[in-house]
């Protein structure tokens, strides 16, 4: 089926709704080191839906004709949560994700992570009527259920034609429940590339850089003259990213020293039972550490989720500037001898965001063929903000076409960026232990 055979292409945005002044709340929480603001509702195309009184009269309605096939482009812009999504009594066919075609996935629901995009075919072949399209949070952490937003975001798929209007739309009975880890894993394991002559894959085979990266929750201690504060932190290989006041790209391009260091570790500082309940408590190290890659370097990254401070959960990892192949994933602790034997090097899905399983691992491969400075991070905003991120610097190739471009002549000056970790408040940033 091609686009000319589709009735319409629609774009659905899933988002978050907050109460009060979000920026003020965020700044206050960052300075105090506590949890970040939680949403009060989720939205589809800007509306929570008619299950919420505030949008009962303005719920988004999608008018459809019977017997048509529609292409839906779905974006998870609710950057703090993974979301389940379903349409009552209608099946979905996923045909693409993150701007790459996939083998068709026929499913009754999807799970989409923050920052992910999906292309979905929906055929309107049910009885004329009104059907809820619904999204609800997938909560993968062990923290109490009261900490997440239980609101079901809805819109209404409404058939055109003459029929008796129902008193209420039909709700999707197949929408997984909030903590349905099995459904989330089952869905994400379905993705494969088309891998045909028109859309081939080019999975790196001769790996030149290997990285094993632990993803953890933790804490950082800050001191001033009169008090001590332990703030929430996340980390990659025990390094919690500290956003510098000078942009890393600017510092790299202009050879400004003292902004970052090039010693981001390829391995965690210590090995232990990453997914167990008995582990050494270690304070996270705050740093602006980057990894330098040569042009055309073939990179393999294995992300290992840990259960430090009982913070195990699904981490949707996102890489700027490149797409990557998901060659493997699994539960438990990665085994570098046996697990590579099960890698999919034939038709792995190509994406720029994919979830590391709760208490599990994810292996990705890519070629560093885009020179520049590229952020990579967990796409759960609170985890990224607390430091689960770092930077790749991809060096220039041998030609102008394979080298970083010069800044445009009219590029405006930027103020110092707001630090994503704790700022200096009354000397609080002085005398860090780590």
């Amino acid at each position: 089926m091609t686009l000319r055979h589709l009735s319409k292409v629609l774009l659905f945005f899933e988002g978050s709704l907050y109460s009060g002044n979000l920026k003020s709340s965020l700044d206050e929480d960052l300075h105090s080191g506590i949890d970040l603001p939680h949403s009060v509702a989720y939205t589809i195309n800007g509306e929570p839906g008619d299950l919420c009184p505030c949008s009962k009269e303005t719920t988004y309605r999608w008018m459809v004709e019977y017997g048509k096939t529609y292409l839906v482009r779905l974006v998870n812009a609710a950057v703090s949560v993974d979301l389940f999504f379903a349409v009552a009594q209608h099946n979905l066919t996923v045909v693409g994700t993150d701007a790459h075609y996939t083998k068709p996935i026929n499913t009754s629901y999807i799970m989409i992570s923050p920052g992910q995009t999906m292309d979905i075919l929906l055929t309107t072949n049910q009885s004329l009527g009104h059907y809820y399209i619904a999204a609800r949070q997938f909560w993968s952490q062990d923290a109490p259920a009261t900490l997440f937003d239980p609101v079901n975001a809805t819109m209404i798929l409404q058939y055109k034609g003459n029929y008796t209007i129902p008193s209420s739309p039909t709700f999707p009975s197949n929408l997984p429940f909030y903590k349905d880890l099995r459904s989330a894993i089952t869905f994400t394991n379905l993705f494969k590339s088309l891998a045909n002559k028109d859309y081939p894959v080019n999975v790196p085979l001769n790996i030149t850089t290997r990285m094993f990266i632990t993803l953890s929750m933790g804490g950082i201690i800050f001191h001033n003259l009169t008090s001590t504060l332990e703030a929430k932190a996340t980390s990659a290989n025990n390094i919690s990213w500290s956003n510098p006041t000078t942009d890393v790209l600017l510092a790299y391009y202009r050879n400004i020293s003292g902004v970052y260091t090039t010693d981001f570790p390829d391995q965690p500082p210590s090995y232990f039972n990453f997914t167990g309940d008995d582990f050494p408590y270690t304070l996270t190290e705050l740093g602006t550490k980057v990894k330098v890659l040569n042009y055309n370097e073939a990179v393999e990254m294995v992300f290992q989720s840990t259960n430090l401070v009982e913070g195990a959960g699904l981490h949707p990892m996102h890489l700027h500037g490149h797409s990557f192949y998901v060659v493997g994933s699994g539960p438990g602790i990665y085994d570098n001898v046996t697990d590579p034997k099960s890698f999919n090097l034939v038709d792995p899905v190509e994406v720029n965001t994919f979830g590391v399983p709760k208490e599990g691992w994810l292996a990705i491969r890519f070629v560093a063929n885009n020179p520049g400075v590229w952020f990579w991070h967990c796409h759960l905003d609170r985890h990224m903000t607390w430091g689960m991120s770092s930077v790749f610097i991809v060096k220039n190739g041998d030609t102008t076409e394979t080298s970083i471009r010069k800044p445009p002549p009219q590029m405006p000056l930027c103020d110092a960026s707001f630090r994503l970790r704790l700022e200096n408040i009354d000397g609080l940033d002085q005398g860090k232990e780590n």
Side-chain angles (χ1 to χ4, degrees), residues 64-68 70 124-128 159-160:
V64 300
E65 296 180 33
Y66 180 83
K68 303 292 187 180
Y70 295 83
T124 49
N125 55 6
Q126 298 300 304
S127 300
L128 301 187
Y159 279 82
K160 298 178 181 178

Side-chain angles (χ1 to χ4, degrees), residues 187-201:
F187 176 75
T188 55
N189 285 343
L190 296 173
F191 282 89
K192 297 181 185 299
S193 289
L194 278 179
N196 57 29
K197 66 176 183 178
D198 295 321
Y199 300 99
V201 297

Side-chain angles (χ1 to χ4, degrees), residues 298-336:
V299 183
E300 179 182 285
M301 302 174 74
V302 177
F303 294 105
Q304 174 69 59
S305 175
T306 75
N307 196 32
L308 287 175
V309 296
E310 298 183 343
L314 187 147
H315 298 291
M317 300 306 295
H318 175 59
L319 174 60
H320 289 223
H322 298 77
S323 293
F324 56 80
Y325 292 102
V326 178
V327 297
S329 66
I333 299 174
Y334 176 74
D335 187 314
N336 63 0

Side-chain angles (χ1 to χ4, degrees), residues 1-9 69 71 73 101 121:
M1 180 175 291
T2 61
L3 282 177
R4 67 176 177 271
H5 296 120
L6 298 172
S7 295
K8 198 171 185 180
V9 179
T69 298
L71 174 61
R73 288 189 167 142
Y101 287 117
L121 299 180

Side-chain angles (χ1 to χ4, degrees), residues 151-166:
V151 173
N152 295 315
T154 60
M155 60 177 282
I156 297 172
L157 183 152
Q158 181 173 329
Y159 279 82
K160 298 178 181 178
N162 296 319
Y163 55 91
T164 302
I165 303 299

Side-chain angles (χ1 to χ4, degrees), residues 220 233-236 238-242 284-287 386-388 421:
I220 295 179
T234 56
S235 65
N238 209 44
I239 306 298
S240 186
W241 176 261
S242 176
T284 300
E285 178 183 348
L286 195 66
W386 288 332
M388 192 178 286
R421 294 304 302 142

